[in-house]
Amino acid sequence: MADKMRKAKTIRVADWMSKRVLAVETSDSIAIARQLIAKHRVNQLPVLENEKLVGIVTDRDIRDAYPTSMMINRGKEIDRFADSVTVEEVMSHDVMVVRPDMSLAAAVSLLRRHRIGSLPVMRSGKLVGIITRSNILDFVLSGAGIKLPKRNAMRPRAAKKK
């Protein structure tokens, strides 16, 4: 009975993930990925090839791929460069994924342990969502299932004098 109660209270990835996932194809340019990231205010995009997840590209991957600020007066050259570099050239290939039924706590643990910003959510080989740091913050701010310690318990105690 207690086990059933625990399962009923388990918060799953599916409860907080973003179901509408923006993604790019391996052949898309980093210019396209940069535009999507900026327009939709996201930090990472799953990368698909024939509808199969093959990587993830982050705003940092794209920023690092762009020429240095020394080329600041060469906007057209930078644009041509960005159009010529594909997402596949700058993405991370080894992608950690989770299932929708995984506990949110386990997903948070993976995000923290591996210092990553998101985890694509897969079901039967299909991308069905993404869980991000922003989703986790939404969960925290909602107050769902969180018990805060009493304020007094958080205060450090002064050391006793001898």
Side-chain angles (χ1 to χ4, degrees):
M1 182 71 150
D3 197 37
K4 283 184 181 180
M5 292 292 284
R6 198 172 314 129
K7 283 185 180 180
K9 289 183 181 180
T10 299
I11 298 167
R12 302 171 314 129
V13 166
D15 300 328
W16 288 93
M17 71 183 189
S18 298
K19 293 177 177 96
R20 296 182 69 206
V21 184
L22 290 170
V24 289
E25 293 282 330
T26 54
S27 59
D28 287 334
S29 70
I30 62 171
I32 289 171
R34 182 178 179 199
Q35 289 168 2
L36 279 172
I37 284 173
K39 180 179 179 182
H40 297 282
R41 298 181 58 154
V42 296
N43 296 318
Q44 52 276 316
L45 297 167
V47 181
L48 306 175
E49 189 169 72
N50 301 320
E51 297 192 25
K52 181 183 176 215
L53 181 69
V54 294
I56 196 159
V57 66
T58 68
D59 54 346
R60 181 176 288 165
D61 295 332
I62 293 167
R63 187 177 58 242
D64 290 350
Y66 266 76
T68 67
S69 59
M70 299 295 285
M71 296 184 70
I72 206 138
N73 294 325
R74 299 179 181 169
K76 289 184 181 184
E77 285 179 56
I78 292 172
D79 289 344
R80 276 194 301 277
F81 171 82
D83 286 333
S84 71
V85 176
T86 65
V87 168
E88 186 174 29
E89 295 174 68
V90 301
M91 72 182 194
S92 297
H93 293 267
D94 295 326
V95 184
M96 192 169 300
V97 300
V98 294
R99 295 179 325 277
D101 60 346
M102 177 183 245
S103 76
L104 189 62
V108 169
S109 178
L110 287 173
L111 289 170
R112 288 193 67 215
R113 186 176 329 127
H114 297 282
R115 301 178 59 96
I116 54 178
S118 67
L119 292 162
V121 183
M122 304 290 289
R123 180 186 300 127
S124 303
K126 290 240 182 231
L127 180 64
V128 295
I130 190 164
I131 189 83
T132 67
R133 288 180 302 223
S134 291
N135 299 130
I136 304 306
L137 289 173
D138 289 343
F139 166 75
V140 169
L141 292 173
S142 78
I146 296 174
K147 292 182 181 177
L148 297 175
K150 292 180 183 177
R151 184 128 168 91
N152 290 343
M154 293 178 15
R155 287 192 187 133
R157 294 184 180 175
K160 293 182 181 180
K161 293 181 182 178
K162 289 187 176 184

